Amino acid sequence: MHNDRSILEARLKRVLDERIRPAVYPESVPLAVSVWQAPGEPVPVAEGLAAPRTPVEAGAAWGPAWGTSWFTVRGTVPAAWAGRTVEALLDLGFDDNMPGFQCEGLVYRPDGSPVKGLNPRNQWVRVADPAAGGEEVLLHIEAAANPVVLDYHPFRPTGLGDRDTAGTEPRYRLARMDLAVFDRTVWELVQDLEVLGQLMTELSPDSPRRWELLRSIDRALDAVDLQDVPGTAAGARRLLAPALARPAHASAHRLSAVGHAHIDSAWLWPLRETVRKVARTTANMTALLEDEPEFVYAMSQAQQYAWIKEHRPEVYARVKKAVAEGRFVPVGGMWVESDTNMPGSEALARQFVHGKRFFLEEFGIETEEVWLPDSFGYSAALPQLVKLAGARWFLTQKISWSQSNKFPHHTFWWEGLDGTRVFTHFPPIDTYNSQLSGAELAHAVRNFQEKGGATRSLAPTGWGDGGGGTTREMLARAKRLADLEGSPRVRFEKPAAFFEQARAEYGHAPVWVGELYLELHRATLTSQARTKQGNRRAEHLLHEAELWSATATVRTGAPYPYERLDRLWKTVLLHQFHDILPGTSIAWVHREAAKTYARVMAELESIVGEALTALAGSGEGTLVFNSAPHRRGGAPAHGAAPAGTCTPAPATARPRPDGGYVLENGLLRAEIDRRGLVVSAYDKETGREAVAPGGAANLLQLHQDFPNMWDAWDVDPFYRNTVTDLTELDSLQLLDGTVHLTRSFGNSRVTQRISLPAGSQRLDIHTEVDWQETEKFLKAAFPLDVHTDRIAAETQFGHLYRPTHTNTSWDAAKFEACAHRFVHLQEPGWGVALVNDSSYGYDVTRTGTTTTVRLSLLRAPRFPDPHTDQGVHHFRYALVPGAEPGDAVCEGYRLNLPERRVPGGTPVAPLVRVDNDALVVSAVKLADDGSGDVVVRLYESLGGRARGVLSPGFAMASAGVCDLLERPLSPAEPIDGELRLVLRPFEILTLRLRRA
């Protein structure tokens, strides 16, 4: 037989595109259209429905960027269409190739009830089935003119990311606005041909099945009269039926499709627009659930449910009904799909607390799947938090984006810092927006790493963001692919059903230990420094607010601010979403975030102030309040003592003979040369020098930074090829024992203050940068005389080790990584810590016995925010020579939780004391249920087994171990009113103490 494969495959494409698909709607009549342009921000639905309209025609321009247009369409179903299915086709000017990143609409009935969303791949609204003829059609559309920020020429700077710079010209033109007959038979023929055609092209040309499908398709196309597709579609479908009836092989892969729409809580649109995106998508999905009994839809992010509950209660009512029926499935158990690298310990725990509690209170559902398909790497602390939150499974897809190394597993046990394991799945389909296309399914089967041990994978199916979710076409594909030769078996089912089956067949899955490092998007640790600083400061203020409010309630009877703390926590958690905290959203988002953080911090300062005033009383003198988990001077951890109880000798300062200054305080001697660089940091107790021979620390270095793509997200390794050391000075002087210096470079200016606190083995550096650069990367380098093959970087509830070398491609890929308050380097018996108050990115290199650590301070990408980080920034970091790991922990907390001085004369005893500094208390608060119980969370901080005694500073009636949601796990038996604790390395323990 002659090889005519390419000719017949080309035939299928053209006939489908030009004849059969257009025949799905064989008859149509135009609708009358009128419009009202809402001024400014979106208006309530009732106002939009009632506003006056102006008639417009198809082709009319509409929508300045970020504007809202309210369209009304009217028409009458022709009498000749009686008995047929009629739909409204409402094309707002969509580009079918960009679902999720352009204009969208939500359709309403005249009474204001929502119908469904309008999206590029979902433009239809069912009007009558069957039609009687003569029906009047009246629909309203709330249309959002969201501009295309990420277009066919991505990553180019644009002003469209902020309403203030987006312009006022219309962004779209109305396209088809018709009533049309929907021909179900032709539509089904399209689905038959698409499924068989896509399957065919993925099979080997040597496969008999491929040729069988080709001949079946060819015969079916012969049966189609191109001038009468509706009249001949049924006959063509009969010819395809035998090919569609061939069952899958017994060994065929099993794919669990889960309806899904990954909706970024902010990204290339502001938070307010996400509220509407969620409403449109959930309106779509609840409508589809009513039409398709086999469909299952899963949605994560408690915040998004809360938004539609508040802003679109009529949509939320449909969601609640579908959840109760078990087919709209809450998943994830977190407040948002947060970044997991940068949120602090308590914040990451509270993501689960607030997320899971919302689903329990609203739906009575205990979510067991942690659903994070799109975050930029996953902290090694997560497995323990997953378990302590009462969850069992973990899902992500993002690791498939890694540039250098292919992750070796798709289904595995993930072991975290403390040894806790969680059953984990990476969908081998390599997308969280699957269409169930033939190419995607074939890729999933080829790509699946667990062949021979496991047979199942999962596919999140649907258009994300503003794409509207799963479509009826995707469901049609799933029905045809349920049992089809050459294809995996596809079935829509709940994520929990997939995980239960996968765990049952593959309990012996391999183990991956440690973080899930994404070899991409490393610059998210630095972009948008203001957002990151707002997060860090808000987290620590929340710690203080809970601690001092609980102490004030127990000690003085002051009311505990339950509602305020709950609201503020949720605001901070929202801004940890994986495109806000990482700095990858449009300018509008980060501009709003800065204002929000300012409000949050002001309110938290008010809460803290009220509590401290209640605690300090009216006595004379000054109290020093210490919210850190370690004693500081005379103040106990989490308590207060009179100022002056311990006053170490202040540091001395003198000039260096060849320029610069020497600072000394009995513990540390630091030398700053005439360039303003730290050339010596000498540990006087051990006689050990921290700065590498010939090196200079606190060296600011500037790099060109223009990644190949994903500007705000990425830094590529070649950025290191060019570097400018900033050594030129404008001024250098000594004022009040502190070295002050200024430098100018490019259009920017740096001012630094270098000081040596009294009684401390810490060299403090305060850096102010007036940053006016673009496409540059600023780092602060510390070459250290420490020979080590690994560095300890703080993460949530502990620290993890990363290599200082590049022996393997896995090691080399970690050229930029995350640390929280400290990094620590150590040789046996001596170490150095570098602590910071607001940075997350760092890099480390080793040359012989010199290990250089560099803090990442600022970047200047131009997409999606063309003015990223322009302006003034403040950073505090410190070098701690002679630091043991415990010193690194302690100094990190001290820098981030500065002491507070308050008028008053009565010392404040801590609510709890722990007698082992390795056991760090991360939270002291009152129980969320209003019972008045004191909740204490602590963790082993050094990576070893630790014993300790927890002593409450109040009469305790009983105690128990609880989970993150403060639900009991086991009783704890006090001995003489104290609790004896034994923790494994990096174990997290939450205790609930009932007051007598």
Side-chain angles (χ1 to χ4, degrees), residues 762-780:
R762 185 183 79 230
L763 182 67
D764 284 350
I765 302 166
H766 181 281
T767 299
E768 177 186 287
V769 187
D770 184 359
W771 183 241
Q772 303 296 336
E773 306 304 302
T774 58
E775 296 168 353
K776 295 290 194 295
F777 199 175
L778 182 67
K779 284 180 169 270

Side-chain angles (χ1 to χ4, degrees), residues 782-798:
F782 292 81
L784 303 172
D785 191 17
V786 179
H787 180 63
T788 180
D789 62 358
R790 66 181 189 174
I791 186 170
E794 189 187 30
T795 188
Q796 299 90 355
F797 299 105

